[in-house]
């Protein structure tokens, strides 16, 4: 008997598929299409580990399955190649990041081939390729043209020792995360994309996509839509008594009669004009100290609130009451108006502040269930209720009071409805080398002007060293020949922008490029886009829940507004695979020495075993740990399958019969239906379980009496199994297919149909009760025993739901009709 020699079988087919371009996507097809896309991977020097395979194996199964179903499938791969890790490695090894990228992508590609994926490599793209980033720059210019790209001076954290700009998260407790040096704020001119213009649509259109609810919630939170009102208070300057109107943003206008003080952010421009001379020094010291705090620290709820009285008072426009004006760093300049009306009775932060500084606390909302006590904060106090101590608004519900106050404010001009978003504009400037140059030119006469489209790409020049310059500029600033250019408007001497774009810009449109990756006239071709987009299925890890997905959605909407594409959401369906932990239950990491690579697993067990195991290990979205028993169990199954197939190839059983065994036909029909449904629903683990069940039936049959089936029947049974197993284990099935004498690749076979009527005859509908109440029904094989019936019933979702927290006392089955589950 031929051995299961996966070491020779797998590379043999991989090379052949590659040589024949077996998985090339069809151009101009009339077939239905499926665009199945993986997240744009960053080709890191570490290569793939088996956790990444939990993304690439399932999408490969899906792609192979849909090809067999007669779809034209676009399943491409490419590289999100720009970015800091390659640049840092380049600095360390004194090499060009381009060389490092080539080395890494070559390795990734080798590994993806090793696990039997079916990408169309003719469509490979690389974001660091000038033919690609030319179009990223083109999109930058489009955004600029539409007023969505702008330059703004903004304060950045700066480490004077590392001589580099730090992200907000890297300036921990006022110190550099790398060297511990106290950080400073540095004003830098930076480029931003005006994503906030799209905040509403980015929030609303989430209703139109088939995405995990978790991700939608995270995006909504990030966008942070907040419906409220703006009210203008007049501040009377403590110095000269002049009046200064200041707008505050509030979500609880209804509580305004309880506003016992006003707070300005320390950076608020009005502070200087209203502060009293006695408070001046204190205010200055406080403002200086708040400069070293990050926003994350300032927003932290459990931090003790601090602030300083300005000496000035503000007038409540609804009551005429005079209230003190403070500054405090828990109010951020970058949100709303940078000023708030503080209502200590109903806002916990204001409560903490007022208690500390002895400011009056006045209840203005009441509830029938609780009495208000000023002694301690109770979360109930921030709930909605009915107004008290609010004069003419007394007795109104909070909602009604809000509406009445907005109406009054709009009539008199001192308040209006206002919606704010927590999301900020997208800062895209990077003072780094390894990114797409921002295609702008600074001219002393004409100002900042775009590079004309026909001069794209602005190619990244080679430099000597990649270290950050130390001035806050990118290493590009040191290349005189590159920086010095002529102004496209006046022809005079001008300087190129030396910042490069955030890598997220490159991945905000890459899915479109796969539809015509070699197009040198445009980023894409409209007709091709209309056929392929939106992406039908987008698969990747949950870590990109916000940024990449939000940015790509934003660019798509801009393109839609420009009339470039006919859809507003790029990714119709999204799935996130669960994390794969190592055998020790820990996250895989180099430092823990627990990284498992596909290379070592394929060497020991073969790619088909790896695939089957990863599909079987747990439901797709669930976190799971690698198990040595699991992988060897999967391998045992593959070997037994191989051996059974070999026997049916070699032996000749029984007599030739021309009718198929009914039980077998029924089973293969059932299997096909099950596998089809499971793939569509991403239930790969139960699909693999069904293969095992079917296989067990076949091998039982052999054990009991080999001659029950004729050779032809055996081979038919096996061949039918191979066809539906092909997307899961593409190499072994292809090899056996060939051995059975079939000429055309198994991956070119049509996905089998099943006879629903045959299945229906063999099944019955059974009602399922819990404590005598019908909770649902299930379809089961008509020859099921009472025991099987009971255990099938217990596994139904609705039964699990209704029996949760109860003890199952008895399961009564009335054969073929009803199951009653009695719980206590
Ligand atoms: C009075 C009030 C009474 C408030 C009350 C809340 C509860 P979201 O939902 O996040 O939009 N606020 C406004 N601007 C702020 C800023 N720049 N920095 C810090 N806090 C700010 O929160 C809006 C609420 O947060 C606003 O409503 C304001 O406090 C505060 F019982 O106004 B509220
Ligand atoms: Zn000029």
């Amino acid at each position: 008997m031929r051995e299961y020699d996966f070491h020779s079988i797998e590379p043999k087919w991989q090379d052949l598929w590659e040589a024949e371009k077996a998985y090339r996507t069809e151009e101009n097809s009339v077939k239905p299409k499926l665009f199945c896309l993986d997240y744009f991977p960053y080709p890191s020097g570490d290569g793939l580990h088996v956790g990444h395979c939990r993304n690439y194996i399932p999408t490969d199964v899906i792609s192979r399955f849909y090809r067999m179903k007669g779809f034209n499938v676009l399943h491409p791969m490419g590289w999100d190649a720009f970015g800091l890790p390659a640049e840092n490695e380049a600095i360390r090894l004194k090499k060009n990041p381009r060389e490092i990228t080539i080395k890494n992508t070559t390795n990734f590609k080798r590994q993806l081939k090793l696990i039997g994926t079916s990408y169309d490599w003719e469509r490979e793209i690389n974001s660091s390729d000038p033919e690609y980033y030319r179009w990223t720059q083109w999109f930058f210019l489009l955004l600029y043209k539409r007023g969505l790209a702008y330059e703004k001076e903004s304060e950045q954290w700066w480490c004077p020792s590392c001589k580099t700009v730090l992200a907000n998260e890297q300036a921990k407790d006022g110190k550099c995360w790398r060297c511990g040096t106290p950080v400073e704020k540095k004003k830098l001119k930076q480029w931003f994309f005006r994503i906030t213009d799209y905040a509403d649509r980015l929030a609303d259109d989430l209703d139109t996509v088939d995405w995990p609810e978790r991700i939608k919630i995270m995006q909504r939170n990030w966008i942070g839509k907040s419906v409220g009102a703006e009210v203008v208070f007049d501040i009377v300057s403590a110095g000269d008594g002049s009046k200064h109107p200041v707008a505050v943003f509030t979500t609880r206008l209804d509580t305004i009669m309880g506003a016992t003080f006003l707070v300005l952010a320390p950076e608020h421009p009005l502070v200087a004009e209203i502060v009293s001379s006695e408070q001046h020094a204190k205010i200055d010291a406080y403002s200086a100290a708040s400069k070293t705090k990050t926003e994350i620290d300032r927003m932290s709820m459990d931090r003790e609130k601090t602030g300083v009285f300005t000496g000035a008072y503000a007038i409540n426009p609804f009551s005429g009451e005079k209230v003190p004006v403070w500054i405090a760093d828990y109010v951020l300049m970058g949100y709303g108006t940078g000023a708030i009306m503080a209502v200590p009775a109903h806002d916990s932060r204001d409560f903490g502040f007022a208690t500390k500084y002895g400011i009056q606390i006045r209840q203005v909302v009441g509830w029938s269930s609780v009495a208000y006590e000023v002694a301690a904060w109770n979360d109930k106090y921030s709930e909605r209720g009915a107004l008290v101590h609010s004069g003419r608004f007394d007795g109104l519900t909070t909602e009604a009071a809000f509406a009445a106050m907005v109406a009054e404010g709009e009539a008199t001009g001192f308040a209006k409805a206002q919606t704010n978003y927590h999301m900020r504009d997208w800062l895209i400037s990077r003072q780094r080398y390894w990114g797409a140059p921002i295609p702008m030119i600074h001219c002393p006469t004409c100002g900042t002007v775009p590079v004309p489209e026909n001069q794209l790409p602005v190619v990244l020049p080679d430099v000597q060293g990649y270290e950050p310059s130390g001035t806050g500029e990118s290493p590009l600033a040191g290349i005189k020949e590159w920086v010095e250019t002529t102004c496209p408007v006046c022809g005079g001497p001008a300087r190129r922008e030396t910042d490069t774009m955030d890598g997220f810009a490159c991945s905000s449109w890459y899915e479109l490029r796969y539809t015509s990756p070699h197009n040198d006239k445009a980023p894409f071709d409209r007709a091709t886009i209309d056929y392929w987009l939106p992406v039908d299925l987008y698969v990747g890890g949950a870590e990109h829940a916000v940024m990449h997905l939000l940015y790509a959605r934003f660019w798509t909407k801009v393109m839609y507004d420009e009339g470039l594409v006919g859809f507003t959401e790029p990714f119709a369906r999204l799935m996130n695979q669960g994390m794969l932990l190592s055998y020790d239950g820990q996250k895989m990491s180099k430092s823990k020495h627990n990284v498992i690579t596909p290379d070592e697993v394929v060497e020991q067990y073969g790619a088909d075993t790896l695939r089957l195991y990863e599909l079987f290990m747990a439901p797709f979205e669930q976190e799971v740990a690698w198990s040595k028993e699991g992988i060897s169990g999967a391998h045992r199954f593959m070997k037994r399958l191989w051996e059974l197939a070999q026997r049916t190839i070699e032996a000749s059983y029984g007599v030739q019969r021309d009718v198929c065994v009914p039980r077998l036909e029924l089973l293969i029909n059932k299997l096909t239906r099950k596998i089809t449904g499971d793939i569509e629903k991403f239930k790969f683990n139960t699909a693999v379980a069904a293969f095992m069940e079917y296989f067990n039936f076949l091998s039982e049959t052999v054990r009991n009496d080999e001659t029950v089936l004729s050779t032809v029947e055996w081979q038919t049974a096996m061949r039918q199994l191979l066809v539906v197993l092909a997307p899961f284990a593409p190499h072994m099935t292809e090899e056996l297919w060939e051995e059975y004498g079939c000429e055309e690749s198994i991956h070119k076979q049509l996905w089998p149909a099943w006879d629903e009527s045959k299945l229906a005859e063999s099944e019955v509908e059974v009602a399922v009760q819990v404590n005598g109440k019908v909770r649902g029904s299930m379809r089961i094989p008509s020859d099921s025993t009472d025991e099987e019936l009971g255990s099938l019933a217990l596994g139904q979702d609705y039964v699990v739901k209704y029996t949760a927290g109860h003890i199952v006392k008895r399961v009564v089955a009335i054969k073929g009709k009803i199951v009653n589950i009695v719980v206590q």
Side-chain angles (χ1 to χ4, degrees):
M1 193 188 294
R2 237 189 110 191
E3 288 269 299
Y4 175 36
D5 180 12
F6 55 85
H7 279 130
S8 67
I9 294 171
E10 292 181 349
K12 164 184 150 190
W13 290 109
Q14 288 161 6
D15 290 342
L16 198 88
W17 295 332
E18 187 175 79
E20 289 184 343
K21 299 194 189 326
Y23 306 115
R24 173 196 248 156
T25 312
E26 292 172 31
E27 304 270 358
N28 307 316
S29 169
V30 293
K31 288 181 181 175
K33 65 93 183 184
L34 182 93
F35 189 171
C36 175
L37 183 64
D38 301 302
Y39 281 8
F40 205 26
Y42 176 75
S44 90
D46 299 335
L48 296 175
H49 60 57
V50 289
H52 302 114
C53 301
R54 225 182 150 198
N55 183 166
Y56 304 132
I57 293 169
T59 52
D60 189 64
V61 173
I62 301 255
S63 300
R64 290 178 178 276
F65 165 73
Y66 275 97
R67 278 188 212 107
M68 292 173 82
K69 277 187 43 154
F71 280 65
N72 188 19
V73 172
L74 178 54
H75 184 44
M77 182 46 81
W79 319 108
D80 191 8
F82 276 139
L84 258 187
E87 187 165 333
N88 286 341
E89 204 179 328
I91 293 171
R92 209 177 64 237
L93 303 176
K94 299 209 180 310
K95 277 192 176 162
N96 190 314
R98 193 169 289 116
E99 274 174 61
I100 288 160
T101 301
I102 293 170
K103 183 189 82 196
N104 293 350
T105 54
T106 308
N107 185 44
F108 263 60
K109 222 171 142 172
R110 179 191 61 77
Q111 288 182 302
L112 288 171
K113 181 176 170 186
L114 191 70
I115 61 171
T117 55
S118 59
Y119 295 109
D120 178 358
W121 287 109
E122 282 179 54
R123 289 173 188 257
E124 177 179 358
I125 60 176
N126 183 322
S127 66
S128 67
D129 179 350
E131 277 314 300
Y132 182 91
Y133 67 69
R134 164 185 183 180
W135 301 112
T136 309
Q137 293 172 336
W138 187 88
F139 281 116
F140 178 97
L141 295 179
L142 172 70
L143 278 118
Y144 180 76
K145 188 182 84 186
R146 296 186 66 85
L148 296 169
Y150 65 93
E151 221 182 353
K152 194 181 82 181
E153 183 130 281
S154 83
E155 295 224 308
Q156 296 297 313
W157 292 113
W158 171 261
C159 171
S161 154
C162 297
K163 294 188 178 25
T164 181
V165 170
L166 301 174
N168 239 330
E169 315 70 81
Q170 299 171 336
K172 265 240 122 281
D173 303 323
K175 298 203 176 86
C176 170
W177 65 306
R178 262 199 229 101
C179 66
T181 308
V183 293
E184 297 165 2
K185 281 256 171 98
K186 199 179 173 92
K187 273 207 165 164
L188 283 176
K189 254 196 163 176
Q190 312 244 57
W191 285 93
F192 291 84
F193 286 148
R194 213 180 291 281
I195 191 172
T196 49
D197 271 15
Y198 284 73
D200 237 341
R201 287 162 70 187
L202 287 168
D204 291 348
D205 290 356
L206 284 171
D207 294 335
T208 68
V209 292
D210 178 8
W211 285 18
E213 206 44 46
R214 195 182 63 248
I215 304 271
K216 291 190 184 185
I217 291 170
M218 286 174 75
Q219 293 224 345
R220 285 202 185 94
N221 288 345
W222 180 269
I223 296 164
K225 182 173 179 171
S226 175
V227 178
E230 251 179 49
V231 201
V232 179
F233 283 64
D234 271 335
I235 300 183
V236 182
S237 168
D240 58 7
S242 56
K243 277 194 178 174
H244 301 268
V246 64
V248 303
F249 174 68
T250 176
T251 46
R252 293 294 303 276
L253 183 59
D254 51 288
T255 63
I256 195 165
M257 298 305 200
T260 53
F261 59 111
L262 225 68
V263 185
L264 305 182
E267 304 87 345
H268 199 290
L270 263 188
V271 176
E273 307 196 23
I274 58 160
V275 67
S276 70
S277 48
E278 301 84 71
Q279 293 299 89
H280 219 280
K282 270 193 186 164
I283 291 274
D284 281 355
Y286 186 82
S287 299
S290 68
K291 277 206 170 65
T292 64
K293 294 183 185 133
T294 67
E295 279 194 5
I296 299 168
D297 294 338
R298 284 171 60 167
M299 281 188 306
S300 156
M301 286 303 267
D302 31 69
R303 213 177 112 245
E304 192 179 319
K305 306 282 171 287
T306 58
V308 181
F309 176 47
T310 61
Y313 290 83
I315 300 161
N316 183 329
F318 279 88
S319 63
E321 185 185 3
K322 267 175 79 178
V323 296
V325 181
W326 289 66
I327 65 166
D329 64 12
Y330 76 92
V331 174
L332 302 176
M333 194 57 223
Y335 182 63
T337 63
I340 67 161
M341 63 177 214
V343 183
H346 303 288
D347 180 284
S348 68
R349 291 169 304 177
D350 300 345
F351 181 86
F353 194 88
T355 313
K356 178 169 172 185
Y357 293 107
I359 304 171
Q360 191 194 353
I361 297 173
R362 185 191 312 137
Q363 179 194 11
V364 289
V365 178
W367 319 266
S368 48
S369 56
V370 250
Y372 197 93
E373 284 178 63
V374 181
W377 176 256
N378 177 340
D379 280 340
K380 178 84 191 170
Y381 299 163
S382 59
E383 284 179 16
R384 284 157 204 279
L387 266 63
V388 296
H389 308 142
S390 296
R392 60 194 183 281
F393 301 103
D394 273 356
L396 292 180
T397 63
T398 44
E399 290 80 4
F402 187 97
M405 289 175 180
V406 165
E408 207 180 298
E410 279 176 351
T412 49
F414 55 71
K416 65 176 192 341
Q418 170 72 33
T419 298
N420 279 335
Y421 299 90
H422 282 276
M423 184 170 67
R424 307 286 169 85
D425 276 342
W426 171 12
L427 173 95
I428 59 130
S429 278
R430 294 292 178 271
Q431 292 75 39
R432 285 297 188 157
Y433 170 76
W434 193 230
I438 292 177
M440 298 297 291
I441 290 171
H442 303 282
C443 167
T445 3
C446 311
T448 303
V449 294
V451 172
E453 252 176 54
N454 60 14
Q455 288 176 24
L456 297 182
V458 176
V459 177
L460 200 55
D462 281 335
V463 291
Q464 290 305 317
Y466 302 95
E467 288 82 3
S469 69
T471 58
E473 290 175 302
S474 98
L476 289 175
I479 311 171
K480 215 169 154 237
E481 319 80 79
W482 185 81
V483 174
E484 289 177 1
T485 183
T486 49
C487 169
V489 179
C490 70
R495 289 174 60 81
R496 285 192 189 282
E497 170 62 59
T498 57
D499 283 354
T500 54
M501 274 186 253
D502 180 5
F504 280 118
C506 309
S507 55
S508 286
W509 72 281
Y510 81 110
E511 73 282 5
L512 306 173
R513 188 64 180 169
Y514 284 124
T515 61
S516 52
H518 311 295
N519 193 333
D520 58 5
K521 302 278 175 312
F524 51 74
D525 163 60
R526 178 66 195 259
T528 322
I529 284 283
D530 286 345
Y531 173 71
W532 282 116
L533 271 285
V535 173
D536 298 280
L537 191 57
Y538 196 29
V539 183
E543 70 278 5
H544 284 303
V546 178
M547 307 232 260
H548 157 59
L549 289 170
L550 201 69
Y551 298 150
R553 297 179 59 226
F554 162 54
W555 276 40
T556 303
K557 290 175 198 302
V558 175
M559 287 181 219
Y560 175 84
D561 291 350
E562 181 69 14
L564 295 177
V565 302
F567 52 91
T568 55
E569 286 292 331
F571 312 118
R573 183 179 179 202
L574 178 74
M575 292 294 279
N576 299 128
Q577 77 270 13
M579 166 111 68
L580 177 53
L581 305 172
S582 193
Y583 42 77
D584 54 4
Q586 307 256 28
K587 236 177 122 163
M588 283 184 225
S589 88
K590 250 167 122 181
S591 61
K592 290 197 204 103
H593 304 290
N594 63 356
V595 176
I596 307 165
T597 64
D599 308 63
E600 61 194 271
V601 180
V602 168
E603 174 55 32
Q604 195 176 352
Y605 298 106
D608 282 341
T609 294
L610 172 68
R611 293 170 65 107
L612 212 73
Y613 171 54
E614 292 222 0
L615 294 162
F616 185 56
M617 54 176 33
F620 175 76
E621 291 175 280
Q622 197 176 301
E623 180 175 285
V624 60
W626 183 266
S627 138
K628 288 173 184 163
E629 293 74 46
I631 183 87
S632 63
H635 192 58
R636 253 191 326 274
F637 172 70
M638 294 301 287
K639 262 170 72 179
R640 287 174 62 210
L641 186 70
W642 173 268
E643 280 157 17
L644 185 67
Q646 291 304 319
R647 291 173 71 169
T648 71
I649 290 162
E650 289 165 9
S652 136
Y653 303 103
V655 280
Q656 296 272 337
R657 251 174 266 146
D658 42 35
V659 280
C660 204
V661 181
R663 170 92 173 157
L664 204 57
E665 199 186 347
L666 196 66
L667 281 180
I668 191 74
N669 265 285
K670 259 175 89 169
L671 179 71
T672 308
R673 181 174 70 177
K674 170 92 180 135
I675 302 301
T676 308
D678 280 358
I679 295 178
E680 282 163 357
K681 293 195 283 281
F682 266 70
K683 293 171 85 173
F684 306 103
N685 60 326
T686 53
V688 175
F691 284 129
M692 292 176 171
E693 200 182 312
Y694 179 77
F695 172 79
N696 284 341
F697 171 77
L698 291 186
S699 41
E700 280 293 306
T701 312
V702 185
R703 195 145 10 123
N704 294 340
D705 180 8
E706 294 195 349
T707 59
V708 164
L709 301 185
S710 70
T711 312
V712 175
E713 283 161 351
W714 263 114
Q715 297 200 353
T716 309
M718 285 303 292
R719 279 216 310 266
Q720 284 173 326
L721 170 62
L722 293 181
V723 170
V724 285
L725 183 63
F728 298 74
H731 313 86
M732 181 200 273
T733 51
E734 184 86 304
E735 179 75 15
L736 292 172
W737 192 248
E738 188 186 51
E739 276 200 84
Y740 280 124
C742 310
E743 279 177 6
E744 196 187 34
S745 165
I746 193 166
H747 303 295
K748 295 218 166 102
Q749 302 311 303
L750 255 149
W751 190 257
W754 61 90
D755 189 340
E756 193 67 51
S757 65
K758 283 226 174 67
L759 287 172
E761 274 167 34
S762 69
E763 287 181 345
V764 286
E765 180 109 5
V766 173
V768 181
Q769 300 178 335
V770 177
N771 283 350
K773 226 186 181 148
V774 177
R775 294 300 187 185
S777 67
M778 56 182 190
R779 290 193 70 79
I780 54 155
S782 49
D783 56 357
S784 309
T785 64
D786 284 358
E787 245 175 21
E788 285 169 344
L789 218 119
S791 68
L792 283 171
L794 287 171
Q796 304 290 311
D797 289 349
Y798 48 86
V799 172
V800 173
K801 185 174 141 205
Y802 285 107
T803 55
H806 296 279
I807 298 163
V808 175
K809 298 274 289 179
R810 228 156 0 111
V811 181
V812 193
I814 305 160
K815 196 173 178 185
K817 281 194 190 132
I818 286 176
V819 189
N820 185 21
I821 296 158
V822 185
V823 296
Q824 202 180 29

